[in-house]
Every structure is written in structure tokens, then in C-alpha cells.
Amino acid sequence: MSITRHFSDTRTDTGRVRILIRAGLVLLHAEGAGWQHSSQHHSVQDAALELAMLPEVSAELYASAISDLEQQLARDGHAPDEPYSGAA
């Protein structure tokens, strides 16, 4: 059974970006008025690059999403695609 973990969820007036982790994959979901995007990646960095290339994503939404990702990475101490240390 594969469990999906919400890693970050960013919302602004122009849209929403969610980063989820499932079975070693990073799932990117982005949406705004009249558009939506979903993709799978092998790392948070790949997902962030994909997000940067989406023409529908405003500069404000991108900056907020990257800030949220950086805060989450700082809080967790590792990227979600790296092995977890400690007890399961």
C-alpha cells in the first residue's frame, strides 16, 4: 500500500501549488483560474524546475511555492526523496 504525504501546499490569489510524496515520487499539482497541471518527478528539484517552466504560474505563486518548499526542507532537514533516518 502506498501512502501519499502532503509535503507543501501553497495558495495565493492566482493559484495553488501542492507537492506530494508517494512511493519515492514527487507529485506536483498546480492550478489556477482556467488551468491545471499534474506531473510526477524523481526529486523536489525536478518538480521545482517543472513549476518554473509552467507559463500559467505567476511570479507571485512561484515565489511563494519555492519559499514554502525551502521552509519545509529546513524543517525536515532533508528532501522527501532522500532516505528517512530514525524509526519508521
Side-chain angles (χ1 to χ4, degrees):
M1 182 168 133
S2 182
I3 296 173
T4 301
R5 174 181 171 222
H6 284 75
F7 190 68
S8 71
D9 190 343
T10 305
R11 298 171 195 226
T12 69
D13 291 339
T14 60
R16 178 181 185 190
V17 173
R18 291 183 298 146
I19 303 289
L20 304 112
I21 311 302
R22 181 178 61 214
L25 290 174
V26 178
L27 310 176
L28 168 64
H29 297 286
E31 60 188 58
W35 67 274
Q36 53 180 266
H37 171 87
S38 294
S39 56
Q40 294 183 6
H41 304 275
H42 293 289
S43 71
V44 170
Q45 292 81 4
D46 288 348
L49 181 59
E50 176 84 14
L51 184 64
M53 294 189 298
L54 295 175
E56 301 88 356
V57 175
S58 69
E60 174 194 15
L61 179 57
Y62 178 76
S64 293
I66 294 302
S67 177
D68 287 351
L69 276 175
E70 288 172 345
Q71 289 174 12
Q72 188 65 38
L73 288 169
R75 200 170 19 251
D76 282 6
H78 57 79
D81 48 308
E82 294 175 356
Y84 289 100
S85 59

